[in-house]
Amino acid sequence: MADATKYADLGLVNTRDMFKKAMDGGYAVPAYNFNNMEQLQAIVVACAETRSPVILQVSSGARKYANQTLLKYMAMGAVEMVREMGANIPIALHLDHGDTFELCKSCIDSGFSSVMIDGSHHSFEKNIELTRQVVEYAHPRDVTVEGELGVLAGIEDEVSSEVSHYTKPEEVEEFVKKTGCDSLAISIGTSHGAFKFKPGQPVPPLRFDILKECEKRLPGFPIVLHGASSVIPEYVEMINKYGGKMEGAVGVPEEQLRKAAKSAVCKINIDSDGRLGVTAVIRKVFVEKPSEFDPRKYLGPAREELVKMIKHKNENVLGSANRA
Ligand code: G3H
Ligand code: 13P
Ligand code: ZN
């Protein structure tokens, strides 16, 4: 078996220090998912240009899609590219929704600096046992671990859930104490994907009371918000205008994310907004320039849009700009 890769040798950092600063500074660190070169370039360029710390997030599906070895070198290349830009921002490489100990171990051994073990579909006891097992492997290697309590509706990697179960605040202290995890994802009404709430619902019902109660029971402990895309209406309109079909797609309003970022929420996960932006731009190019067949002519503008979107999130929603 090949020797394990140490994340520090790739120029990566874990999330401990990032979260401490985010907690003290009242902002959230962005965690953007990537599957390909254009997404990765956009994320690191936008974060370097806004001087934001960043968590590069890889799901098990992304790992299968892009190849685990290639991904590691892509992350390493991204770190190097950022240095060449003269930017000095902390970059973490994080496994999103790891569902087994073996997957988390494999990511840690291949250079990830942080992993999520999502045992939220198991019983409370089994979730604790699984999360503890990952922590015991991760901590001696100085890799940070995110656990989850409560189930989000929508697709969580390859596990889909029809219904959400809010996090029970009375469980969080025991979970954190028994597992030793470094951060905790909670369920307060957000969900994965582009259809989070009923269209026309005046204020999406996020349970800030549950967040507050978790904060009270875990003072100073980093909370993570999944399913936090705003499903940017301009992108949905563009997609529908240029031949797509995404009627009724609705996300979390930006004001609510701003409010969450000021609390103990130290990490906000965004994937769907990036997917929507890329799809909207590519659709537009295909309609306006039907004879174009050079992928750079549609992936390039899609990448530019992604840079714009991420800068906006860092500056105006998460508050992570100029915090690196
Ligand atoms: O939480 C799910 C993420 O958006 C990743 O999605 O499993 O399709 O890569 P994926
Ligand atoms: P969105 O689908 O809202 O972007 O959520 C992404 C996410 O939580 C990744 O773990
Ligand atoms: Zn998620």
Side-chain angles (χ1 to χ4, degrees):
M1 208 193 88
D3 283 346
T5 305
K6 294 193 188 80
Y7 67 79
D9 294 341
L10 305 181
L12 300 163
V13 297
N14 68 26
T15 57
R16 196 167 294 123
D17 203 39
M18 287 184 180
F19 289 168
K20 190 182 174 328
K21 289 186 176 141
M23 182 73 77
D24 295 346
Y27 62 94
V29 178
Y32 297 112
N33 289 68
F34 79 99
N35 303 265
N36 65 24
M37 182 188 76
E38 283 78 8
Q39 286 173 310
L40 179 59
Q41 286 173 316
I43 296 166
V44 292
V45 165
C47 290
E49 289 182 357
T50 52
R51 294 191 47 249
S52 168
V54 64
I55 297 169
L56 302 172
Q57 205 157 244
V58 173
S59 69
S60 63
R63 211 161 171 251
K64 278 184 214 142
Y65 177 80
N67 178 282
Q68 61 183 72
T69 305
L70 183 56
L71 266 180
K72 174 173 90 181
Y73 289 108
M74 282 170 77
M76 194 175 164
V79 169
E80 201 53 39
M81 186 179 119
V82 167
R83 302 287 176 263
E84 278 169 14
M85 286 171 73
N88 186 18
I89 57 167
I91 302 176
L93 181 62
H94 174 81
L95 169 67
D96 193 23
H97 295 284
D99 57 349
T100 61
F101 169 76
E102 289 70 27
L103 174 61
C104 293
K105 178 181 181 298
S106 165
C107 286
I108 293 169
D109 290 345
S110 73
F112 282 56
S113 60
S114 178
V115 291
M116 173 188 194
I117 176 69
D118 180 357
S120 61
H121 299 272
H122 297 294
S123 68
F124 183 60
E125 291 72 26
K126 172 82 188 140
N127 189 359
I128 290 181
E129 189 190 317
L130 182 59
T131 307
R132 177 78 223 159
Q133 193 190 4
V134 172
V135 168
E136 277 169 3
Y137 190 77
H139 279 183
R141 293 157 180 84
D142 208 21
V143 168
T144 38
V145 179
E146 175 183 327
E148 178 167 333
L149 269 180
V151 178
L152 272 72
I155 310 284
E156 290 205 339
D157 267 33
E158 279 144 9
V159 186
S160 73
S161 181
E162 295 269 304
V163 280
S164 69
H165 305 285
Y166 295 123
T167 302
K168 296 181 187 139
E170 61 276 17
E171 289 183 345
V172 298
E173 290 149 291
E174 186 184 345
F175 185 83
V176 168
K177 203 164 147 228
K178 288 196 171 157
T179 61
C181 66
D182 302 278
S183 59
L184 182 68
I186 62 168
S187 171
I188 59 166
T190 61
S191 58
H192 291 105
F195 299 86
K196 300 187 193 296
F197 304 104
K198 289 196 183 73
Q201 229 172 338
V203 184
L206 285 200
R207 294 288 305 271
F208 277 95
D209 57 320
I210 294 179
L211 169 60
K212 230 189 204 128
E213 194 51 39
C214 293
E215 269 185 281
K216 218 166 82 190
R217 288 166 185 262
L218 296 172
F221 191 80
I223 302 291
V224 178
L225 206 56
H226 282 247
S229 279
S230 310
V231 187
I232 299 170
E234 290 78 4
Y235 291 159
V236 176
E237 272 163 40
M238 237 170 113
I239 288 173
N240 290 334
K241 176 174 171 192
Y242 293 106
K245 204 165 172 5
M246 294 202 66
E247 281 85 13
V250 182
V252 185
E254 291 186 343
E255 314 78 70
Q256 299 213 11
L257 294 167
R258 256 200 301 270
K259 183 174 158 190
K262 288 182 184 145
S263 73
V265 170
C266 291
K267 171 176 181 268
I268 289 189
N269 285 8
I270 297 170
D271 187 1
S272 296
D273 279 341
R275 297 181 181 198
L276 290 166
V278 165
T279 303
V281 169
I282 291 177
R283 280 197 173 280
K284 182 170 188 281
V285 175
F286 282 178
V287 169
E288 289 178 349
K289 299 178 185 164
S291 60
E292 191 52 74
F293 71 104
D294 178 347
R296 292 170 298 186
K297 298 286 168 39
Y298 50 87
L299 295 178
R303 184 175 62 187
E304 265 168 50
E305 187 58 46
L306 214 44
V307 170
K308 240 170 53 196
M309 189 275 283
I310 292 171
K311 285 183 166 180
H312 164 71
K313 298 271 180 197
N314 294 351
E315 284 164 352
N316 307 315
V317 186
L318 280 75
S320 62
N322 297 313
R323 303 289 193 154

